[in-house]
Amino acid sequence: MKRKINAILTTALIAVVLLVTLVSCSPSQAVDFFEYSTNNLGPVGNLVRLMHRWIGSYGWTVVVFTLFLKIIMLPIDFWQRFSSRKSTLKMQRIQPILEGIDKRYGANTQRANEEKQKLYKKQGYSMLGTCLPMILSMAIFFVMFAGLRNYSTYSTITTFHLLSNEYYDTLQTEFESMGGDVYATYKAEYDAKYQARINDETRVNKTDEDADLYAKINAVKAVNGAYNSAGLTAQETAIKRVQERYLNEKESWLWIKNVWQPDTWAPVMPDYDKGSNNFSSIISMENYPDDDKGRTVYNTIRNAILEVDGYGNNGSWNGLMILPILSVALSFLSMWISQRIEKRNRKGEQQPLNQQQQMTNRMMMIMMPAMMAVFGFMYTGAFAIYMVFNYTLSIISTIALRLPVEKIVEKSIAKKDEKENKSKASYMR
């Protein structure tokens, strides 16, 4: 009964960890389109930004960042494997003594537990020593992932800012070429009006570009109807310029058209407010100076992009589902290799894995690939790139570190045994 309870608690703990990971990967609230800047990125986000500027392609930036992170985590990874293997060997050695304690004290579980704790202390066995490296690894993962997510948000805002500026700049040029007195009058009016935004000391991130975009949007809105059919021609020209700018600036990687979208059947640019990865769930357009919070201009730009990018009709597919499938397969392979190594390490033992450990192993083989499937199909292609390369490096390190860890653990235990034997011999004399 006790083993079943422990197995249930272990499974519940795994489920809680996965749930926390899933929640942490979801944005807590939409950030303001006009207020979000490099000030919001944090140290990790700014590091990723610098790496992106140096490398150029964000997909390859994620690959380099994953390798960089793995190198930083290598000592902790080694510590975790060392602690885990050392604890396993210690438990194997004291298992017969633990069984003897259970037989000796029978139903007196309190006394049995007291004797076990004394034995654990004497042998230097501690569950905390095994869990601490894992907890530290998870904490670093969450910090690093938050940085990737912040930079993803920043890049989404920067890209749309660039495309919307291209759209309004083109309309401005076209209107001025038609006889721009009317447009110039409205533009001057809105320039003065939104200059007040720059002087507002309560704003966190004040930029001239924001006020300039405000002025362009309102000036275009004010004069657009006055030009009738000529205004439609101006808009067609603006859409073509947006398409050209997007194709020059877009972040693709191998077969993925847009790394900020999943490597799936998702369109190359998300819907304004529909779907799990929609634009308004990440970016707040509350302060966008039009009647529908930027929905019309966003959809105009989105439709223009869907016409020129993506697989299928109207950019209906952003990727080919290669990375999500790879992440699930590599997750399963990583778990399988770890369990095979554990089984090989236990070879020749009379004591098989207990029911709790067997259930934990089975649950991990199911839940980890399932979580990778959720991440791969719901989140960005950039994060799928991270998962695939992270698991690839993890598999390599698992195989490469097995023998060195085994030898160091054996030497450590042998050294401790030798020290204890010397102490006993000295005591006997």
Side-chain angles (χ1 to χ4, degrees):
M1 184 66 182
K2 184 178 179 181
R3 287 180 176 177
K4 289 184 178 180
I5 293 174
N6 287 337
I8 292 172
L9 291 176
T10 301
T11 304
L13 178 61
I14 295 171
V16 168
V17 170
L18 298 183
L19 181 61
V20 169
T21 305
L22 183 63
V23 171
S24 70
C25 293
S26 304
S28 55
Q29 61 181 6
V31 300
D32 188 86
F33 176 73
F34 287 106
E35 299 294 334
Y36 202 82
S37 74
T38 54
N39 297 332
N40 304 99
L41 290 179
V44 177
N46 275 300
L47 173 62
V48 175
R49 183 174 69 92
L50 292 174
M51 292 176 67
H52 185 198
R53 292 176 63 184
W54 173 57
I55 296 171
S57 165
Y58 187 67
W60 292 114
T61 298
V62 173
V63 174
V64 174
F65 178 81
T66 307
L67 179 61
F68 171 75
L69 178 59
K70 207 66 180 177
I71 293 172
I72 291 177
M73 295 285 290
L74 191 59
I76 299 175
D77 187 24
F78 187 89
W79 177 28
Q80 180 178 339
R81 295 176 192 278
F82 174 84
S83 300
S84 177
R85 182 58 184 153
K86 192 173 182 179
S87 296
T88 300
L89 288 177
K90 285 182 179 179
M91 179 56 71
Q92 291 172 6
R93 296 177 66 175
I94 65 177
Q95 188 66 39
I97 304 175
L98 293 173
E99 292 175 357
I101 292 174
D102 287 332
K103 289 179 181 179
R104 185 184 311 151
Y105 295 102
N108 190 352
T109 55
Q110 181 177 352
R111 181 63 187 280
N113 288 333
E114 289 176 358
E115 292 298 320
K116 289 178 181 178
Q117 290 300 321
K118 291 179 182 178
L119 179 63
Y120 291 150
K121 185 176 181 180
K122 181 180 178 181
Q123 295 295 327
Y125 177 83
S126 172
M127 284 297 294
L128 180 61
T130 305
C131 296
L132 187 60
M134 185 181 300
I135 294 171
L136 184 59
S137 297
M138 290 182 62
I140 293 175
F141 168 79
F142 289 137
V143 171
M144 293 299 176
F145 180 77
L148 287 172
R149 186 183 63 189
N150 289 341
Y151 185 67
S152 175
T153 301
Y154 170 79
S155 297
T156 301
I157 291 176
T158 302
T159 300
F160 186 63
H161 216 302
L162 182 143
L163 294 177
S164 57
N165 265 297
E166 185 71 30
Y167 177 73
Y168 285 110
D169 281 343
T170 305
L171 286 178
Q172 174 182 346
T173 302
E174 291 296 307
F175 286 146
E176 288 175 343
S177 68
M178 297 174 191
D181 292 341
V182 176
Y183 179 84
T185 300
Y186 280 111
K187 181 68 165 61
E189 176 186 341
Y190 286 108
D191 274 337
K193 179 178 180 180
Y194 288 103
Q195 186 66 28
R197 283 178 56 84
I198 300 175
N199 300 326
D200 183 1
E201 295 299 330
T202 63
R203 294 186 64 223
V204 178
N205 304 315
K206 298 178 291 184
T207 63
D208 293 350
E209 290 80 5
D210 290 349
D212 185 52
L213 180 59
Y214 261 56
K216 291 175 191 173
I217 292 169
N218 282 279
V220 166
K221 182 173 65 175
V223 303
N224 195 26
Y227 289 107
N228 299 324
S229 60
L232 295 176
T233 303
Q235 190 173 44
E236 290 174 1
T237 303
I239 289 173
K240 289 180 180 178
R241 295 284 176 81
V242 166
Q243 292 172 335
E244 293 171 359
R245 189 66 182 270
Y246 168 77
L247 292 175
N248 288 330
E249 302 287 343
K250 73 172 186 172
E251 281 289 349
S252 58
W253 186 79
L254 299 180
W255 62 87
I256 303 176
K257 298 294 184 177
N258 179 8
V259 295
W260 310 119
Q261 281 289 91
D263 177 21
T264 63
W265 54 83
V268 295
M269 190 169 178
D271 196 280
Y272 183 83
D273 56 5
K274 295 178 182 178
S276 60
N277 202 32
N278 68 76
F279 183 80
S280 61
S281 68
I282 303 172
I283 315 298
S284 172
M285 304 288 279
E286 288 292 329
N287 294 321
Y288 209 81
D290 59 15
D291 298 331
D292 59 358
K293 300 175 183 178
R295 181 191 298 269
T296 298
V297 66
Y298 179 84
N299 286 331
T300 298
I301 292 173
R302 178 177 184 268
N303 291 335
I305 290 172
L306 295 182
E307 288 179 5
V308 296
D309 202 18
Y311 299 100
N313 295 326
N314 294 325
S316 55
W317 279 58
N318 180 58
L320 302 174
M321 296 191 294
I322 295 175
L323 290 180
I325 294 173
L326 268 179
S327 64
V328 172
L330 289 171
S331 172
F332 184 86
L333 179 62
S334 177
M335 298 296 302
W336 182 81
I337 290 174
S338 296
Q339 293 184 20
R340 289 286 294 180
I341 290 175
E342 181 183 2
K343 186 176 180 180
R344 181 179 296 179
N345 288 337
R346 297 179 64 92
K347 192 174 182 180
E349 293 181 22
Q350 296 180 354
Q351 182 72 21
L353 284 176
N354 60 43
Q355 185 178 358
Q356 175 188 350
Q357 188 63 49
Q358 290 177 5
M359 177 175 279
T360 300
N361 288 347
R362 286 196 295 268
M363 291 302 298
M364 291 293 286
M365 289 285 283
I366 295 172
M367 296 181 71
M368 289 302 293
M371 184 179 72
M372 292 304 104
V374 172
F375 285 165
F377 283 94
M378 288 183 60
Y379 293 98
T380 66
F383 186 54
I385 295 171
Y386 166 79
M387 289 192 299
V388 167
F389 279 90
N390 181 62
Y391 268 115
T392 301
L393 294 172
S394 294
I395 291 171
I396 294 172
S397 64
T398 297
I399 296 172
L401 292 176
R402 185 180 72 85
L403 289 178
V405 167
E406 191 72 24
K407 290 181 179 180
I408 292 174
V409 169
E410 289 175 357
K411 287 182 179 179
S412 175
I413 293 178
K415 187 175 181 180
K416 183 178 179 182
D417 289 344
E418 183 181 355
K419 185 177 180 180
E420 289 179 353
N421 290 334
K422 286 183 179 179
S423 298
K424 289 179 181 179
S426 175
Y427 174 78
M428 293 296 295
R429 288 197 297 268

